[in-house]
Each structure stands twice: as structure tokens, then as C-alpha cells.
Amino acid sequence: MMEEKMEDRNKIKTELIVVIVEKDMSGEVIDAAKQGGADGATVMYGRGSGIHENARFFGITIEPEKEIVLILVDAAIRNAVLCSIQKKIEIDRPGMGIAFVLDVAKVIGSPHLNLMSDITD
């Protein structure tokens, strides 16, 4: 019985959606992701260094703050989540941010995804 559960869980493809946006936009991204079917997200903070983003104030270069939203999803809902984010914050407009998807080899400790795999590999 336990082996069957592990086998079923290993068939689920998990992906990580990474969304990088301007400061104070992560809430909108998370709301959109949930509307698309995601259970939640994690927000981290960083600084951007894109070609259009360096501003100067009294001769001092100001580096804009960014929010990095990590959304772990079943691959089956990836497109719905991305579409929801695109519609809500228009991420495809210049300067609005970027979103990309990474394959995830293993997941442990996520009750939302129920994807605990055999970690002895």
C-alpha cells in the first residue's frame, strides 16, 4: 500500500513558477496565483539591475527593490496560474516584471501538494 502511494506521488510533475516584480506587487501576484489554482506562495526580496532601472538621485544611483514570488504547483495547473498572473498584473508589459517556470525534481514537506517522494534516490 505504501509503495503504491509513493509510486503515484512520483508520477506527479511539479514545477516552480518564479515571478519577479517591483516592490509592493507581490500581493497582487499571490492573489492572481490563487485565482489560477495555486495554494499559496513564498515572497523573497532582492534588487534589480536591468538596463531601464537605474535611476539617479543627487548623483547617487538608486537600485530598485524587487519582490520574488515562488509558487510551487502541479504542472497541470501551471498555465492557468501564469494566465491569471498575466491578466491581473499585465506582466508582459515592459517594466512590469518577469515570470518563468522551472522543473522541480523532488518535493518533500509540502502538505498542499502531497508530493512527498522517496528521498533515498
Side-chain angles (χ1 to χ4, degrees), residues 43-118:
V43 178
M44 300 186 323
Y45 301 93
R47 287 192 320 226
S49 63
I51 59 171
H52 302 291
E53 300 169 0
N54 289 332
R56 296 183 69 82
F57 184 70
F58 291 115
I60 299 169
T61 300
I62 300 169
E63 295 182 31
E65 294 177 357
K66 303 289 183 191
E67 292 179 334
I68 303 139
V69 184
L70 306 176
I71 309 159
L72 200 58
V73 298
D74 184 317
I77 67 165
R78 171 204 350 105
N79 288 342
V81 173
L82 285 172
C83 185
S84 183
I85 291 168
Q86 188 280 327
K87 285 179 182 175
K88 180 151 183 124
I89 68 165
E90 298 179 323
I91 198 161
D92 53 343
R93 284 189 21 228
M96 293 306 294
I98 187 170
F100 55 92
V101 180
L102 302 172
D103 286 335
V104 175
K106 287 191 179 271
V107 175
I108 59 172
S110 176
H112 299 287
L113 293 173
N114 198 22
L115 297 173
M116 179 126 164
S117 61
D118 181 5

